[in-house]
Amino acid sequence: ASSGGVVSGFRKQPHASTSSLSSTTGVNTGTVAGASTVAAAAGSAELTNRMQQVAAMRERLQILRHMYGLSDPRLGAKDTLVMTADMIKTLWSLCSPTDREWLIVFLAGASHNGRIHGDSTSPVLPQSQQGPQQQSIVDPNVLSPAFTEDVCRSVFLDLFCYNDNEFDYENIGASGYRSFHFLFNSVRRSPQAVAAEKRAALDAQWRMCLRAGNHLVAQQAMRDLLTVYITAANDRHDIQEKARASFEQQQQKTTNSQMMEQDDSTMASASPATPQASWEDEAAATVAEHALEDDFGERIFQCLSKVKTDISSKTEDSADRAAERCIRILNAAVGQQIDGAGSYSNTPSALTRLSTLPLNATLDTTQKCLPHGLRGEAACFRVAVTARRNPIHNSQQNLMRAAAEAEGAPAQPQLPNTSRFTLDLHPLETIQSVKRRISAQCECSITSVKPLHITGRRTNNNTSTVGGTDTANNTNMSLNSVPEDSVMDELGIVHGCEIVVSISDRVQNNVSMATSNRTVKITNDLSEVFFSHDSKFADQLFISLLELLDILSLSSKEIPSADASKMEVDNESALPSNPNKPTAGGTSQLIWDLLQSMPTNSSILTRVQSATGKPSTPDAMEIDSVTSSWDQLLDVRSLNKAVYVLLTIDALLNPALAALSILPMEQRIGLEQLQRDEEAAFRKHFVDSGGFAAVVAFFSREQNPNTSAFDSRRGNAVALRILKSCLFAEDDAQAISTPDGGTGGDLLQSLSSTEGLLKSLTSMVVDDSGVPSSTVMDVLRFLRLLFNTPNSAAIFMNLPRDLAKRLITSLMVKDEQENAETGRFSSSSIKTSMHVRTSVSELILQTPLLADSCLAWLIDAVERVEVTSETTTELFNTVEKLVSDANSTARTRPATDEELRHLAYIVCKTLSQCPRPVSEADLVDITTGVLCGCLKLLRALVGQGKGGLLRQGTDVLLGSLSVEGWSSHVNGVSPDDAVMLDLMGVVFDGLLNSSANSSVAICCDKDSRREGFDVVAAIAQNCQDGQGYTAIVNRMNNLIDSCAPSLRHRWGEFGGQESPSRLGRAAKYSGLRNQGCTCYMNSALQQLFMMPELRDSMCAAPLPSSLRSSGSVTSKGVELVDKKISLQWESSISYDAVVERYDEASGMHTIRYDPIQVATVG
């Protein structure tokens, strides 16, 4: 009766009044009413109401928990009270959807023993797990379960599993999910639960993964779901291994028994012929008994099918989110791991598969162990290597070189003490392989190379150790104790890292040769489902994923990840973990990551290999069918499939031999040679069969406006990589020889038209702001090669939408890309951007049509640059050469007067916008790159000798800087020279000198001042009759005359009749100079000099002739000639000088200061 009363207390309206809640929970009504009165906003009152509802709910559930938990007869209760399934369902129906989470928490807590007081984290064992002595002891602080296990299982199945729409997955929180998972595990582990009930529970867990609105809940639910399948897979593996071991042991016993009973010949004829399938059948039977009642592949296909239907029909708003979570589950299942930097890694599972390969494994079997994304060199990343040679090693090399020269061998170059170069490394490449490549680069033996340390490596939160060294959170790592079979990905080596090695002939005793001792670990994933040789799961999944990609492309131009703005990824699997950190890319990106983590699709691989038209198909009809197959494979109507085909072609053209470096040496060498032979054969057949032309056609296609930038970028990048591998040598801008003996240029000239290729190359850079600098460099290399073909440069200049102009102007001012993690610019990105700008400049200057036509484009680029930009050096240098240095360019005509006039106006306009520092403290933040560039261009324009072209720009400077031109002070100048003189004045007075508002000039550093004075000198040189030099001399005299009175006043020198008292007061400095420890004597003499009688007597005394001959001021002027004097300046610093001559007319001496030693830096 009491329990019924409490249960009936749950009957309330969805929005109960504050007074009714307070009466139920015992809260003071007046206090609550007062609080409600204070809360003026309706939202605040609603929040207060909701919080009180939650408090009331939790208090009622706590009452129920104690009521049923204390009903144990051993605690003195008259009867044992237990809740029935109907009572719990009644509670469920009475609660609102938002309150049911607390009921889930109640169900989980009431299904097992608990404590009234104390630490809730200390569990109480259920009676089934207690010993006899423990069961006889009754603890009064322990609450017994409120219902039986059967009731708990029945309620869980009815509320969460059987009725799909009964439970609100969207609003469940962390506490509710923890309780849900506890109940889920209770059902899964219950001996009374049948297979259908366990499958229903698994259904609920899948729905939790796909529907939970809380992203942290979904992340944990996905991890728990995979744990179920991974545990079942590991159990199945253990059963198989035990069956195999048992079979082999039985076989050994049988063989030993036969050897004892029969002779060798009889034993050979009567040896057991038990087929291997016998133990496999036995293992299969055992696995079937303990098999999971649900198949992962079947379930994931069901989910993907529903997701595709929902996205196509747009029946559910959460379909995109469900699709993304399905792909995340698959990414984690295939063994994809994500570190703290957001980088994906498939190496752990790949290493496990490679380590278990037999020594006689074929190349095909070995390649099937690799994920699709790791088969080609596209997976490689570039690192810097610094090799430091030991002096002993260099001396020995010198002796060997001298001996070789003595024998008549050609002289060898001196090896540097430090070598710096770059290497492209594969994630699966071992330290041993890297040492081998460094030794080849440095021309030394591999035993001389000793890796020292790595800088700039990727860090993550995983607790990973390599060779006993913790490698988790150190960006710098020592390589002294790292085993040589450690791979790059394990060490966290990524693009931009630096590896430092030493080269010495000393024996390396601390090198660990651990290749054969690598421990084979069973990865915590389901990768065997994807990479199983007899499984069709990966092929079927490939088709389903391509269909999903097509649906996403049709439903929206770019579907962002449903959780992309709220999730980051977990460090142990490809699952989101942090709701505050965004992930890069969307659902499409996740699908492509999954495709790269899976094995290469066998159907696509077979079709690509057959499309190459091997010599085994001589029939013309078969050749035609092969040609048409390229069109089918690279059909742009199925863009995602075509991109995957391109990825496969790229892997076949550029296989990653370093991915096999983990294998034993004999096996690796043989497989590498087979790989090279297959690559050469495929390359030849690929070109001969029209594959190159098909890729060019794909790359030159008209872009579909409905295609997302993500899809276009991926397809274009892969196609460009393929074309690059056919036309260029590695790290070489020159064309390479094709298999038929021709060159890459000949291969391009064989194309019917280059317009589509030029348009696609240009659009790839212009229309996509996110294109990487490496791709931009490849585009520039293609353009340089294409411009060697007839009419290609003209076609490029006439591309629609001003593509050529936009490409040139955007790349000439290309800025470095900011690092997304650090928010700073890396040194590698700065160098790469500078390399891009330099390459564009060389392309312009070396291509005649570009050199003749690009000046107007570059002038527009100068107009758009910011005065604070630091990436304009190449732009200004290019314009300067086009204007003044025709010998260093491919120009066929000079710049027109209109181009020069417009350039002069833009340059002067930009100069007028350059800031003037207010004080010397502002010099730290001032950049003068644009200022120096404009002054350099101004000097080049002055050198043209056409002052009239500078008139408009000079007027802009005169007006903006508020200075006066110099032409008005010189008579009889020509109009051109008048402009030159005005420009000289504005540069000298406006840019090189301070102003009334600031003591710092606009040209405030050494570089800008040098450029400014060069402009003044150029103007003076180009003016007629030396009028420029006259103007600058007049200006200098004016400056001297204007500052002379001020200087005389500060030095205490006056002309005319001045009284001695005025002279004494005006002098800023007086006294005696310290000659070295004479300060006290100087003070005493000054005190004596202040006595009038003594001072007058001393001044009236005649000077001895010896003093007069040494240069006294009362001596005759000519007596000081050739005498050395010391002059003390206003700053109290004395300078030595020699009197050279004396002018009797003016009574002045000419002196020559002694040279001063100036300290220099560097």
Side-chain angles (χ1 to χ4, degrees):
S2 300
S3 62
V6 175
V7 171
S8 63
F10 280 85
R11 295 186 180 275
K12 60 180 184 300
Q13 298 298 325
H15 300 285
S17 64
T18 304
S19 58
S20 62
L21 284 172
S22 62
S23 62
T24 305
T25 59
V27 179
N28 185 281
T29 305
T31 303
V32 174
S36 301
T37 303
V38 174
S44 178
E46 183 178 356
L47 177 61
T48 303
N49 190 8
R50 175 60 190 155
M51 292 177 62
Q52 292 174 344
Q53 278 190 343
V54 171
M57 164 68 71
R58 299 182 66 178
E59 186 169 345
R60 294 185 187 121
L61 292 175
Q62 188 177 9
I63 294 174
L64 286 176
R65 179 69 183 98
H66 283 71
M67 181 185 304
Y68 288 97
L70 296 176
S71 64
D72 194 331
R74 293 177 299 174
L75 297 176
K78 183 177 180 181
D79 296 315
T80 300
L81 297 179
V82 292
M83 298 186 70
T84 64
D86 292 337
M87 295 173 64
I88 297 175
K89 293 177 183 178
T90 300
L91 284 176
W92 184 267
S93 62
L94 294 177
C95 293
S96 64
T98 56
D99 290 335
R100 287 175 178 174
E101 179 174 358
W102 300 111
L103 186 54
I104 300 174
V105 176
F106 165 77
L107 293 176
S111 63
H112 60 282
N113 290 342
R115 292 189 181 276
I116 300 177
H117 304 290
D119 186 6
S120 59
T121 62
S122 301
V124 178
L125 292 176
Q127 292 188 3
S128 60
Q129 300 181 22
Q130 295 178 2
Q133 295 181 355
Q134 293 176 312
Q135 294 183 16
S136 61
I137 300 176
V138 179
D139 188 350
N141 292 324
V142 173
L143 296 174
S144 60
F147 39 79
T148 63
E149 293 183 5
D150 292 338
V151 170
C152 178
R153 184 175 69 256
S154 173
V155 169
F156 178 80
L157 293 172
D158 291 340
L159 296 181
F160 304 107
C161 304
Y162 294 149
N163 193 344
D164 189 7
N165 299 320
E166 183 69 23
F167 183 61
D168 183 15
Y169 293 94
E170 182 72 26
N171 296 314
I172 189 171
S175 300
Y177 174 73
R178 284 194 296 267
S179 301
F180 169 88
H181 188 62
F182 175 84
L183 297 172
F184 168 81
N185 284 332
S186 300
V187 174
R188 298 278 310 169
R189 297 169 183 172
S190 174
Q192 289 77 25
V194 298
E197 293 176 339
K198 294 181 179 181
R199 181 180 177 86
L202 203 57
D203 291 341
Q205 185 71 26
W206 273 96
R207 289 193 292 270
M208 183 68 71
C209 295
L210 303 180
R211 298 184 186 179
N214 186 306
H215 304 295
L216 284 175
V217 168
Q219 174 263 333
Q220 186 60 46
M222 288 187 281
R223 184 183 292 116
D224 294 335
L225 177 68
L226 283 176
T227 300
V228 174
Y229 289 100
I230 293 172
T231 302
N234 292 339
D235 292 343
R236 182 170 58 253
H237 180 271
D238 293 341
I239 292 173
Q240 292 174 345
E241 289 300 317
K242 290 179 181 179
R244 182 197 300 270
S246 176
F247 173 76
E248 292 176 351
Q249 184 179 8
Q250 185 64 32
Q251 286 286 85
Q252 185 64 35
K253 289 181 179 180
T254 303
T255 302
N256 294 339
S257 175
Q258 291 177 351
M259 290 178 63
M260 295 175 60
E261 297 176 357
Q262 302 176 2
D263 57 10
D264 293 343
S265 59
T266 306
M267 179 190 66
S269 61
S271 58
T274 305
Q276 185 179 3
S278 60
W279 71 266
E280 294 179 348
D281 293 340
E282 180 181 352
T286 307
V287 168
E289 295 178 2
H290 300 82
L292 191 66
E293 62 282 348
D294 184 70
D295 181 72
F296 177 78
E298 178 185 350
R299 179 57 65 95
I300 202 69
F301 284 132
Q302 292 176 359
C303 293
L304 288 175
S305 177
K306 185 177 186 306
V307 162
K308 289 185 289 185
T309 302
D310 292 342
I311 294 178
S312 300
S313 59
K314 299 181 180 180
T315 56
E316 292 190 17
D317 296 336
S318 60
D320 293 337
R321 183 177 65 192
E324 184 223 358
R325 291 179 179 174
C326 276
I327 305 305
R328 288 192 182 276
I329 292 173
L330 285 167
N331 277 328
V334 78
Q336 191 180 93
Q337 297 183 1
I338 308 178
D339 58 28
S343 300
Y344 291 86
S345 171
N346 301 304
T347 55
S349 58
L351 286 174
T352 300
R353 292 188 293 273
L354 290 173
S355 301
T356 55
L357 278 175
L359 292 177
N360 59 350
T362 63
L363 179 60
D364 181 65
T365 302
T366 305
Q367 290 175 335
K368 288 181 179 179
C369 295
L370 295 174
H372 182 64
L374 295 182
R375 288 189 59 167
E377 292 182 353
C380 295
F381 48 85
R382 181 158 296 183
V383 301
V385 179
T386 300
R388 301 171 181 171
R389 296 182 183 274
N390 189 291
I392 298 178
H393 181 271
N394 253 356
S395 64
Q396 293 174 350
Q397 294 289 337
N398 293 335
L399 292 175
M400 295 173 60
R401 189 178 299 105
E405 293 175 359
E407 296 177 359
Q412 298 294 328
Q414 174 72 29
L415 297 177
N417 291 331
T418 301
S419 300
R420 292 182 173 86
F421 51 91
T422 59
L423 289 178
D424 291 334
L425 304 182
H426 192 273
L428 292 176
E429 190 165 2
T430 62
I431 288 288
Q432 178 73 10
S433 174
V434 176
K435 288 177 57 178
R436 186 164 53 248
R437 296 173 62 182
I438 293 176
S439 66
Q441 180 76 24
C442 297
E443 301 178 6
C444 63
S445 64
I446 189 173
T447 57
S448 302
V449 180
K450 177 185 178 182
L452 297 179
H453 62 269
I454 310 169
T455 59
R457 59 186 293 271
R458 180 189 67 225
T459 60
N460 54 61
N461 297 326
N462 294 338
T463 306
S464 57
T465 58
V466 177
T469 303
D470 184 9
T471 66
N473 299 312
N474 300 320
T475 56
N476 301 334
M477 185 181 71
S478 173
L479 296 176
N480 290 329
S481 59
V482 173
E484 291 198 340
D485 67 340
S486 302
V487 300
M488 299 297 100
D489 194 73
E490 288 179 324
L491 300 177
I493 300 178
V494 293
H495 179 79
C497 284
E498 181 182 16
I499 301 177
V500 181
V501 302
S502 67
I503 300 177
S504 173
D505 284 338
R506 296 177 180 176
V507 179
Q508 308 297 339
N509 296 324
N510 59 343
V511 176
S512 174
M513 299 298 294
T515 303
S516 59
N517 297 325
R518 172 175 285 274
T519 302
V520 179
K521 299 180 180 179
I522 299 177
T523 55
N524 193 30
D525 53 48
L526 298 174
S527 57
E528 64 175 10
V529 177
F530 297 82
F531 288 87
S532 176
H533 296 289
D534 56 351
S535 174
K536 301 299 182 182
F537 171 76
D539 294 336
Q540 297 174 1
L541 181 60
F542 172 79
I543 298 174
S544 183
L545 291 176
L546 286 185
E547 292 175 352
L548 181 57
L549 278 173
D550 293 337
I551 292 174
L552 290 175
S553 301
L554 292 175
S555 62
S556 177
K557 289 186 179 181
E558 182 144 6
I559 298 290
S561 170
D563 298 335
S565 61
K566 302 169 183 155
M567 287 186 175
E568 72 171 355
V569 288
D570 182 75
N571 291 328
E572 298 179 356
S573 63
L575 298 177
S577 61
N578 190 340
N580 298 319
K581 182 178 179 181
T583 56
T587 306
S588 297
Q589 176 65 57
L590 291 174
I591 296 175
W592 278 110
D593 291 335
L594 176 59
L595 291 172
Q596 295 285 61
S597 302
M598 294 166 53
T600 302
N601 182 258
S602 57
S603 175
I604 295 295
L605 182 61
T606 301
R607 294 185 62 187
V608 168
Q609 291 174 336
S610 64
T612 55
K614 297 180 180 180
S616 59
T617 59
D619 185 72
M621 184 176 297
E622 293 181 358
I623 296 293
D624 292 339
S625 65
V626 168
T627 304
S628 64
S629 67
W630 281 122
D631 297 335
Q632 295 172 3
L633 286 173
L634 298 179
D635 188 357
V636 295
R637 292 173 296 181
S638 301
L639 181 60
N640 294 298
K641 177 183 176 182
V643 172
Y644 190 88
V645 170
L646 291 173
L647 289 170
T648 305
I649 296 173
D650 183 37
L652 294 173
L653 286 173
N654 305 288
L657 300 180
L660 308 178
S661 61
I662 191 65
L663 300 176
M665 183 176 63
E666 297 81 1
Q667 184 183 16
R668 173 181 57 81
I669 294 175
L671 293 178
E672 286 181 352
Q673 186 58 46
L674 290 175
Q675 185 77 76
R676 292 189 186 94
D677 295 341
E678 286 195 2
E679 180 267 329
F682 178 82
R683 183 181 297 273
K684 182 180 186 307
H685 297 314
F686 173 73
V687 175
D688 294 342
S689 64
F692 176 82
V695 175
V696 171
F698 174 87
F699 186 76
S700 306
R701 71 193 186 279
E702 288 291 336
Q703 296 293 334
N704 188 340
N706 295 325
T707 302
S708 67
F710 168 81
D711 294 333
S712 297
R713 183 187 306 170
R714 178 179 293 277
N716 291 338
V718 182
L720 190 65
R721 237 177 9 243
I722 295 173
L723 299 178
K724 174 185 172 183
S725 66
C726 294
L727 298 174
F728 300 105
E730 184 179 1
D731 297 330
D732 186 7
Q734 303 298 324
I736 65 172
S737 296
T738 52
D740 59 356
T743 63
D746 297 336
L747 196 58
L748 284 179
Q749 290 180 359
S750 65
L751 300 176
S752 58
S753 174
T754 59
E755 181 177 0
L757 183 58
L758 285 168
K759 183 179 178 181
S760 296
L761 287 169
T762 309
S763 302
M764 185 178 182
V765 178
V766 172
D767 296 336
D768 188 359
S769 59
V771 63
S773 297
S774 58
T775 303
V776 174
M777 288 300 303
D778 291 338
V779 169
L780 293 176
R781 293 170 65 185
F782 270 97
L783 291 178
R784 180 172 298 180
L785 183 61
L786 284 169
F787 288 164
N788 293 329
T789 60
N791 302 323
S792 291
I795 295 174
F796 172 77
M797 299 293 295
N798 295 318
L799 288 177
R801 299 192 293 124
D802 289 334
L803 287 176
K805 176 182 177 181
R806 292 163 62 190
L807 175 74
I808 296 297
T809 55
S810 62
L811 294 185
M812 280 303 299
V813 293
K814 180 176 175 58
D815 202 350
E816 55 267 19
Q817 296 178 352
E818 183 177 297
N819 188 296
E821 298 176 32
T822 63
R824 300 190 299 268
F825 300 112
S826 64
S827 58
S828 60
S829 66
I830 294 175
K831 293 179 181 178
T832 304
S833 298
M834 184 175 63
H835 194 189
V836 168
R837 298 192 297 270
T838 303
S839 299
V840 177
S841 175
E842 294 174 352
L843 183 67
I844 295 173
L845 298 177
Q846 296 174 7
T847 306
L849 187 58
L850 291 182
D852 290 339
S853 307
C854 282
L855 181 58
W857 299 351
L858 298 181
I859 293 174
D860 293 341
V862 172
E863 184 178 11
R864 291 196 301 270
V865 298
E866 298 288 339
V867 294
T868 57
S869 175
E870 299 179 358
T871 58
T872 57
T873 302
E874 294 78 12
L875 172 63
F876 287 113
N877 289 342
T878 305
V879 175
E880 181 191 16
K881 291 180 179 179
L882 292 176
V883 170
S884 61
D885 192 3
N887 295 329
S888 63
T889 68
R891 294 204 72 168
T892 60
R893 62 172 181 83
T896 64
D897 289 349
E898 185 60 32
E899 289 176 337
L900 296 178
R901 183 179 293 104
H902 184 51
L903 176 62
Y905 172 75
I906 296 302
V907 168
C908 293
K909 178 181 176 182
T910 305
L911 283 173
S912 67
Q913 298 171 354
C914 293
R916 181 189 297 273
V918 178
S919 63
E920 294 184 359
D922 298 333
L923 296 180
V924 179
D925 301 325
I926 293 294
T927 58
T928 59
V930 174
L931 174 62
C932 292
C934 288
L935 291 172
K936 185 179 297 185
L937 293 182
L938 195 59
R939 183 184 60 188
L941 291 168
V942 169
Q944 299 296 313
K946 300 178 180 179
L949 302 177
L950 302 170
R951 179 76 270 174
Q952 186 179 8
T954 302
D955 292 341
V956 172
L957 283 175
L958 289 172
S960 61
L961 298 180
S962 301
V963 295
E964 182 182 1
W966 288 1
S967 61
S968 59
H969 302 289
V970 182
N971 297 324
V973 296
S974 64
D976 285 352
D977 285 351
V979 176
M980 292 285 195
L981 292 178
D982 289 341
L983 182 60
M984 178 187 288
V986 77
V987 172
F988 189 88
D989 293 336
L991 300 179
L992 292 171
N993 285 313
S994 58
S995 66
N997 299 326
S998 173
S999 61
V1000 185
I1002 294 178
C1003 296
C1004 55
D1005 63 349
K1006 180 179 65 176
D1007 295 334
S1008 60
R1009 295 191 69 79
R1010 182 179 63 249
E1011 296 292 346
F1013 281 113
D1014 287 346
V1015 172
V1016 173
I1019 294 175
Q1021 184 179 2
N1022 282 274
C1023 288
Q1024 298 178 359
D1025 302 328
Q1027 292 176 342
Y1029 292 108
T1030 301
I1032 191 65
V1033 169
N1034 292 337
R1035 180 58 176 151
M1036 293 298 297
N1037 288 332
N1038 291 336
L1039 288 176
I1040 294 173
D1041 293 340
S1042 64
C1043 69
S1046 174
L1047 292 177
R1048 291 194 186 101
H1049 178 77
R1050 294 175 66 186
W1051 292 342
E1053 299 178 3
F1054 296 89
Q1057 302 296 326
E1058 294 289 346
S1059 62
S1061 59
R1062 170 70 181 274
L1063 178 62
R1065 290 194 303 271
K1068 186 174 183 179
Y1069 297 103
S1070 61
L1072 300 176
R1073 185 175 62 179
N1074 190 344
Q1075 303 296 325
C1077 298
T1078 62
C1079 54
Y1080 286 101
M1081 183 185 70
N1082 291 348
S1083 300
L1085 289 176
Q1086 287 178 339
Q1087 292 296 329
L1088 293 174
F1089 189 75
M1090 297 304 295
M1091 299 178 183
E1093 296 82 358
L1094 182 58
R1095 181 177 63 250
D1096 294 341
S1097 299
M1098 291 182 63
C1099 291
L1103 292 176
S1105 59
S1106 59
L1107 292 180
R1108 292 197 298 268
S1109 64
S1110 62
S1112 171
V1113 293
T1114 61
S1115 301
K1116 294 181 179 180
V1118 72
E1119 295 179 359
L1120 293 178
V1121 176
D1122 297 331
K1123 297 286 179 76
K1124 188 173 183 179
I1125 62 176
S1126 180
L1127 300 179
Q1128 184 173 357
W1129 284 31
E1130 179 183 356
S1131 60
S1132 299
I1133 300 177
S1134 297
Y1135 297 96
D1136 295 333
V1138 176
V1139 180
E1140 292 187 338
R1141 61 179 178 268
Y1142 173 70
D1143 186 2
E1144 294 183 358
S1146 62
M1148 299 181 67
H1149 295 83
T1150 301
I1151 64 173
R1152 173 174 52 81
Y1153 285 99
D1154 290 346
I1156 301 175
Q1157 298 296 331
V1158 178
T1160 61
V1161 179

